[in-house]
Amino acid sequence: MTSLPPIALFDMKAQQALIRTELDQRLAAVLDGGRFINGPEVAELEQKLAAFSGCAHGVGVSSGTDALQIAMMGEGIGRGDAVFLPAFTYTATAEVPLVLGATPIFVDVDPVSFNIDIADLKRRIALVEAEGRLRPAAVVGVDLFGLPADWPAIEAICAEKGMFALDDAAQAYGASLGNKRLGRWGHATALSFYPTKTLGCYGDGGALLTDDADRAELWRSLRTHGEGKTRYEVERTGMNGRLDTIQAAILLAKLPLLEGELAARTKVAAAYHAGLAGKVQVPEMVPGHAWGLYSILLADAGQRARVQDACKAAGVPTSIYYPKSLHRQPAYAAAHAGAIAAGAPGLPVAEMLCERILSLPMHPYLTEAEVARVVAAVVGAV
Ligand SMILES: *Cc1c(COP(=O)(O)O)cnc(C)c1O
């Protein structure tokens, strides 16, 4: 077993080999054109990203984190505002409201979808309203591991309360819910092109999607230091949040593969499901899932450690997303403790998932034999 080559958790080499010629041509065009900032590739990519999602506007930005930040800056979110977000997600989702002076309110997640728990969201909004110290300003729904959050419910809550609905789709570009791709749910959708995401560049990059022309225009200003109609007119406080032309060129070479890659990810997920269902808790095969990650639940932390060891011995990498709930992180614990003066309810599901979750190799170029090796390593250890 150990003599077999190791499997990749994510694989960017197989994909690169398929489009190496296009990549070289796209990069050469940027080098020849010399417009490294706001080159024509950026506008071309923005239009293609929006078209892929079926929405009106795409705005390229420097990372997924900056996409979240620009979206919140556009709504004027800051001191005195409460931003509701799942406790079980990547740190960037919580960091942005804090950087802007707002208060993150951590919400528990659903034990099956791992996404924000709607009943707990409503409960925490009611607690913040009852205290009256903070204004419920926004809900950030995260489509964790590629599975869309419950957007109809989040949209309904935000419409009722006059809150901003922001989709952190950093792990889920290409996913759809109902007959709509992400990008059309909520008021704004933030994407990350970090290399291991479903659409990744070769560095940092991100984008915002919306159907709202005014928001798109505002974001273009915010990503360029708040500039107005003319270059040296500063209309508002902004930031340097642009997407590099080189990264846009790389994404343009990769985008034509995405549809096929999403289908290939679904095939890998289905093969995992067939091999692992009934032995460990597997994610549901939900149509429209982008399968950015494939994460299983083990019985407890001890069994998870045994499975990780067995996988490692078999040349199968695994990873834990996430080992610590955000409300327990040193950087956020004080904000969490102070957010609701009367004391916030616990976050038992987020804490349970941190003990038991494990992500298996997931990328579109996994072979049937590789998936079988992963399944055998996991099954042999439970
Ligand atoms: C990756 C990620 C981000 C941040 O994206 P960057 O491009 O790395 O800044 C934000 N939210 C979630 C859920 C992510 O997975």
Side-chain angles (χ1 to χ4, degrees):
M1 241 181 159
T2 42
S3 60
L4 292 168
I7 293 170
L9 192 63
F10 307 105
D11 185 330
M12 284 152 285
K13 281 193 187 149
Q15 182 200 51
Q16 189 182 110
L18 285 178
I19 50 165
R20 186 58 194 244
T21 310
E22 289 87 337
L23 281 166
D24 287 342
Q25 285 167 354
R26 282 282 186 181
L27 288 172
V30 177
L31 297 187
D32 291 342
R35 289 187 54 198
F36 301 113
I37 302 291
N38 285 340
E41 287 81 359
V42 175
E44 184 185 348
L45 176 72
E46 290 177 337
Q47 187 265 320
K48 287 186 171 159
L49 290 173
F52 189 86
S53 296
C55 68
H57 305 280
V59 177
V61 297
S62 39
S63 69
T65 307
D66 289 342
L68 295 169
Q69 180 163 335
I70 289 168
M72 287 192 214
M73 286 169 81
E75 307 306 306
I77 289 169
R79 209 161 299 282
D81 288 337
V83 176
F84 297 81
L85 59 104
F88 189 65
T89 177
Y90 184 57
T91 179
T93 321
E95 155 187 61
V96 170
L98 277 169
V99 163
L100 295 176
T103 304
I105 306 284
F106 295 109
V107 180
D108 212 356
V109 294
D110 180 272
V112 175
S113 71
F114 311 146
N115 281 330
I116 197 164
D117 181 306
I118 299 301
D120 196 55
L121 171 62
K122 287 182 179 166
R123 171 162 69 150
R124 284 171 211 261
I125 293 173
L127 282 171
V128 168
E129 283 178 334
E131 277 195 355
R133 284 187 309 145
L134 299 170
R135 178 183 75 107
V139 176
V140 189
V142 178
D143 313 300
L144 202 73
F145 305 147
L147 176 66
D150 186 349
W151 284 104
I154 295 171
E155 283 190 345
I157 291 168
C158 288
E160 184 197 331
K161 304 283 181 189
M163 296 169 75
F164 178 52
L166 175 56
D167 183 2
D168 179 347
Q171 300 183 6
Y173 185 56
S176 53
L177 176 63
N179 56 4
K180 287 201 284 183
R181 274 232 156 92
L182 295 183
R184 300 194 62 206
W185 290 98
H187 297 108
T189 299
L191 306 178
S192 165
F193 304 129
Y194 185 83
T196 58
K197 310 283 181 168
T198 53
L199 177 66
C201 58
Y202 292 151
D204 279 309
L208 281 161
L209 301 174
T210 187
D211 277 330
D212 181 338
D214 292 338
R215 279 198 171 94
E217 192 185 316
L218 181 57
W219 298 337
R220 288 180 199 284
S221 168
L222 287 167
R223 74 173 174 188
T224 314
H225 306 288
E227 79 175 18
K229 295 266 179 290
T230 61
R231 183 153 173 205
Y232 290 107
E233 185 176 69
V234 184
E235 281 189 359
R236 54 185 66 81
T237 307
M239 61 190 283
N240 180 352
R242 293 176 298 246
L243 177 67
D244 288 350
T245 308
I246 283 189
Q247 299 303 341
I250 287 158
L251 290 163
L252 282 167
K254 286 193 175 198
L255 195 54
L257 294 179
L258 183 60
E259 199 81 69
E261 289 182 343
L262 290 166
R265 286 175 184 273
T266 302
K267 259 183 92 174
V268 171
Y272 277 146
H273 193 94
L276 294 172
K279 287 152 183 130
V280 299
Q281 186 181 321
V282 291
E284 288 183 304
M285 290 302 300
V286 178
H289 198 314
W291 299 109
L293 284 162
Y294 191 90
S295 304
I296 60 172
L297 277 192
L298 286 313
D300 51 38
Q303 189 189 56
R304 178 173 68 179
R306 289 193 295 280
V307 169
Q308 276 206 291
D309 288 346
C311 285
K312 195 171 175 195
V316 173
T318 58
S319 193
I320 297 173
Y321 303 103
Y322 295 91
K324 200 179 236 185
S325 177
L326 291 182
H327 71 291
R328 289 273 180 92
Q329 291 287 0
Y332 308 137
H336 172 62
I340 298 174
L347 295 143
V349 178
E351 290 176 12
M352 175 276 287
L353 294 178
C354 293
E355 298 280 307
R356 294 172 51 197
I357 200 122
L358 188 68
S359 297
L360 304 180
M362 174 47 90
H363 61 78
Y365 303 98
L366 280 168
T367 64
E368 276 175 37
E370 286 176 323
V371 171
R373 266 173 72 195
V374 177
V375 167
V378 172
V379 169
V382 297

